[in-house]
Amino acid sequence: MPYRPLAAGTGFVHVCAHRGHSIGAPENTIPALEAAAAHGASVCEIDVVLSRDDEIVVIHDEILDRTTDGKGRVASFTMAELTQFDAGGWFDSRFAGTRLPTLTQALTAARKLGLVLLVEIKERQRPDRLIEILGDVLTAQRAIDDVLVISFDHPSLQRAQARIAGLRTEIITHARHVDPAAVARNAGAASVAIESDMFHPDDARALHAAGIATRVTIPRPDRIEHRRRHGLDPLASVIAGLREGLIDVLAGDDTRAVRALVDRPAP
């Protein structure tokens, strides 16, 4: 089913699991996608880089050490070699034996789970080669309408759109721009990702007026509680934005917490 990010078009706010339900399962793995769906997500954000033999691998870092028992760069290994590494035991022994998925495997799993994927390009050494292969994978999987390709590197998204017919993109921002709608239009983006501490209702209104969706990411629950202990409420603007219809997709590591905010009754 084609992904429609704007809540005005769907009648609901999407719940997005950041790297899957990454607070409860190893990030960027099939179990994380499964947990996200079980906790009410409709969208998952995942990250991709290239293997040595040009397979698109779902992993956040270009180096294996943090989220697998492997060592070194992802690009130093073929996909067959990468599947020998454990991508779950570092998180919890219950997930020992979990393998790094390819993008094709993630797309297949997401379709079965009823999830949309936001595919973030993390490949920095050969981004144009990844874009070329990405077009082939999305075409073969008939998934071009089912995903958004996202990045901090807005020019790379323009190149991806030029290479892949019909591709829609989302730009990631960690700053407020004087004219956010112009930034999104210049990049040809269908959506803008905004951190919750940078979310402002005026920006969201301007984006909506231009027909561009907003995706807002909230912190992990422990970070929210840390700020609250110091008299700060990091969710106040998010709750107000949801009530006003200014947020189309709400994202976070804890899918249950995101779902609870989206389902929070109006006062």
PDB file of all heavy atoms in Angstrom, residues 67-80:
ATOM      1  N   THR A  67      27.268  -2.799  17.311  1.00  0.00           N
ATOM      2  CA  THR A  67      26.011  -3.562  17.302  1.00  0.00           C
ATOM      3  C   THR A  67      26.147  -4.991  16.794  1.00  0.00           C
ATOM      4  O   THR A  67      25.143  -5.628  16.487  1.00  0.00           O
ATOM      5  CB  THR A  67      24.937  -2.827  16.466  1.00  0.00           C
ATOM      6  OG1 THR A  67      25.421  -2.672  15.120  1.00  0.00           O
ATOM      7  CG2 THR A  67      24.605  -1.477  17.060  1.00  0.00           C
ATOM      8  N   THR A  68      27.370  -5.491  16.708  1.00  0.00           N
ATOM      9  CA  THR A  68      27.579  -6.904  16.365  1.00  0.00           C
ATOM     10  C   THR A  68      28.810  -7.396  17.128  1.00  0.00           C
ATOM     11  O   THR A  68      29.523  -6.603  17.762  1.00  0.00           O
ATOM     12  CB  THR A  68      27.811  -7.134  14.855  1.00  0.00           C
ATOM     13  OG1 THR A  68      29.166  -6.806  14.526  1.00  0.00           O
ATOM     14  CG2 THR A  68      26.865  -6.314  13.999  1.00  0.00           C
ATOM     15  N   ASP A  69      29.075  -8.701  17.020  1.00  0.00           N
ATOM     16  CA  ASP A  69      30.320  -9.224  17.598  1.00  0.00           C
ATOM     17  C   ASP A  69      31.457  -9.207  16.584  1.00  0.00           C
ATOM     18  O   ASP A  69      32.530  -9.750  16.840  1.00  0.00           O
ATOM     19  CB  ASP A  69      30.110 -10.628  18.160  1.00  0.00           C
ATOM     20  CG  ASP A  69      29.729 -11.655  17.087  1.00  0.00           C
ATOM     21  OD1 ASP A  69      29.502 -11.253  15.921  1.00  0.00           O
ATOM     22  OD2 ASP A  69      29.635 -12.847  17.422  1.00  0.00           O
ATOM     23  N   GLY A  70      31.231  -8.557  15.443  1.00  0.00           N
ATOM     24  CA  GLY A  70      32.272  -8.391  14.445  1.00  0.00           C
ATOM     25  C   GLY A  70      33.123  -7.167  14.731  1.00  0.00           C
ATOM     26  O   GLY A  70      32.780  -6.324  15.569  1.00  0.00           O
ATOM     27  N   LYS A  71      34.228  -7.065  14.030  1.00  0.00           N
ATOM     28  CA  LYS A  71      35.143  -5.933  14.168  1.00  0.00           C
ATOM     29  C   LYS A  71      35.480  -5.394  12.791  1.00  0.00           C
ATOM     30  O   LYS A  71      35.673  -6.151  11.845  1.00  0.00           O
ATOM     31  CB  LYS A  71      36.440  -6.355  14.867  1.00  0.00           C
ATOM     32  CG  LYS A  71      36.252  -6.935  16.268  1.00  0.00           C
ATOM     33  CD  LYS A  71      35.770  -5.884  17.251  1.00  0.00           C
ATOM     34  CE  LYS A  71      35.634  -6.477  18.652  1.00  0.00           C
ATOM     35  NZ  LYS A  71      35.072  -5.477  19.592  1.00  0.00           N
ATOM     36  N   GLY A  72      35.560  -4.075  12.685  1.00  0.00           N
ATOM     37  CA  GLY A  72      35.980  -3.469  11.429  1.00  0.00           C
ATOM     38  C   GLY A  72      34.826  -2.885  10.645  1.00  0.00           C
ATOM     39  O   GLY A  72      33.674  -2.837  11.102  1.00  0.00           O
ATOM     40  N   ARG A  73      35.130  -2.441   9.433  1.00  0.00           N
ATOM     41  CA  ARG A  73      34.145  -1.776   8.582  1.00  0.00           C
ATOM     42  C   ARG A  73      33.212  -2.778   7.921  1.00  0.00           C
ATOM     43  O   ARG A  73      33.647  -3.857   7.496  1.00  0.00           O
ATOM     44  CB  ARG A  73      34.857  -0.946   7.513  1.00  0.00           C
ATOM     45  CG  ARG A  73      35.578   0.286   8.039  1.00  0.00           C
ATOM     46  CD  ARG A  73      36.308   0.988   6.916  1.00  0.00           C
ATOM     47  NE  ARG A  73      35.417   1.282   5.796  1.00  0.00           N
ATOM     48  CZ  ARG A  73      35.838   1.580   4.568  1.00  0.00           C
ATOM     49  NH1 ARG A  73      37.124   1.607   4.302  1.00  0.00           N
ATOM     50  NH2 ARG A  73      34.962   1.833   3.607  1.00  0.00           N
ATOM     51  N   VAL A  74      31.970  -2.398   7.809  1.00  0.00           N
ATOM     52  CA  VAL A  74      31.006  -3.220   7.080  1.00  0.00           C
ATOM     53  C   VAL A  74      31.502  -3.460   5.659  1.00  0.00           C
ATOM     54  O   VAL A  74      31.405  -4.567   5.123  1.00  0.00           O
ATOM     55  CB  VAL A  74      29.616  -2.546   7.063  1.00  0.00           C
ATOM     56  CG1 VAL A  74      28.640  -3.351   6.225  1.00  0.00           C
ATOM     57  CG2 VAL A  74      29.090  -2.349   8.482  1.00  0.00           C
ATOM     58  N   ALA A  75      32.069  -2.424   5.059  1.00  0.00           N
ATOM     59  CA  ALA A  75      32.505  -2.499   3.655  1.00  0.00           C
ATOM     60  C   ALA A  75      33.694  -3.418   3.439  1.00  0.00           C
ATOM     61  O   ALA A  75      34.068  -3.688   2.294  1.00  0.00           O
ATOM     62  CB  ALA A  75      32.837  -1.101   3.149  1.00  0.00           C
ATOM     63  N   SER A  76      34.285  -3.923   4.523  1.00  0.00           N
ATOM     64  CA  SER A  76      35.406  -4.851   4.380  1.00  0.00           C
ATOM     65  C   SER A  76      34.948  -6.294   4.187  1.00  0.00           C
ATOM     66  O   SER A  76      35.780  -7.171   3.919  1.00  0.00           O
ATOM     67  CB  SER A  76      36.307  -4.774   5.619  1.00  0.00           C
ATOM     68  OG  SER A  76      36.876  -3.493   5.748  1.00  0.00           O
ATOM     69  N   PHE A  77      33.633  -6.534   4.306  1.00  0.00           N
ATOM     70  CA  PHE A  77      33.112  -7.896   4.292  1.00  0.00           C
ATOM     71  C   PHE A  77      32.049  -8.058   3.210  1.00  0.00           C
ATOM     72  O   PHE A  77      31.307  -7.120   2.908  1.00  0.00           O
ATOM     73  CB  PHE A  77      32.494  -8.248   5.648  1.00  0.00           C
ATOM     74  CG  PHE A  77      33.460  -8.205   6.797  1.00  0.00           C
ATOM     75  CD1 PHE A  77      33.634  -7.032   7.517  1.00  0.00           C
ATOM     76  CD2 PHE A  77      34.189  -9.323   7.148  1.00  0.00           C
ATOM     77  CE1 PHE A  77      34.527  -6.978   8.577  1.00  0.00           C
ATOM     78  CE2 PHE A  77      35.085  -9.287   8.216  1.00  0.00           C
ATOM     79  CZ  PHE A  77      35.261  -8.111   8.925  1.00  0.00           C
ATOM     80  N   THR A  78      31.977  -9.260   2.660  1.00  0.00           N
ATOM     81  CA  THR A  78      30.855  -9.595   1.778  1.00  0.00           C
ATOM     82  C   THR A  78      29.621  -9.823   2.633  1.00  0.00           C
ATOM     83  O   THR A  78      29.702 -10.013   3.852  1.00  0.00           O
ATOM     84  CB  THR A  78      31.153 -10.877   0.985  1.00  0.00           C
ATOM     85  OG1 THR A  78      31.219 -11.987   1.902  1.00  0.00           O
ATOM     86  CG2 THR A  78      32.448 -10.761   0.208  1.00  0.00           C
ATOM     87  N   MET A  79      28.451  -9.858   1.989  1.00  0.00           N
ATOM     88  CA  MET A  79      27.225 -10.098   2.739  1.00  0.00           C
ATOM     89  C   MET A  79      27.234 -11.479   3.370  1.00  0.00           C
ATOM     90  O   MET A  79      26.771 -11.660   4.499  1.00  0.00           O
ATOM     91  CB  MET A  79      26.001  -9.929   1.824  1.00  0.00           C
ATOM     92  CG  MET A  79      24.685  -9.834   2.594  1.00  0.00           C
ATOM     93  SD  MET A  79      24.617  -8.354   3.628  1.00  0.00           S
ATOM     94  CE  MET A  79      23.872  -9.001   5.132  1.00  0.00           C
ATOM     95  N   ALA A  80      27.787 -12.456   2.665  1.00  0.00           N
ATOM     96  CA  ALA A  80      27.868 -13.809   3.231  1.00  0.00           C
ATOM     97  C   ALA A  80      28.711 -13.813   4.499  1.00  0.00           C
ATOM     98  O   ALA A  80      28.379 -14.500   5.483  1.00  0.00           O
ATOM     99  CB  ALA A  80      28.456 -14.766   2.202  1.00  0.00           C
TER     100      ALA A  80
END
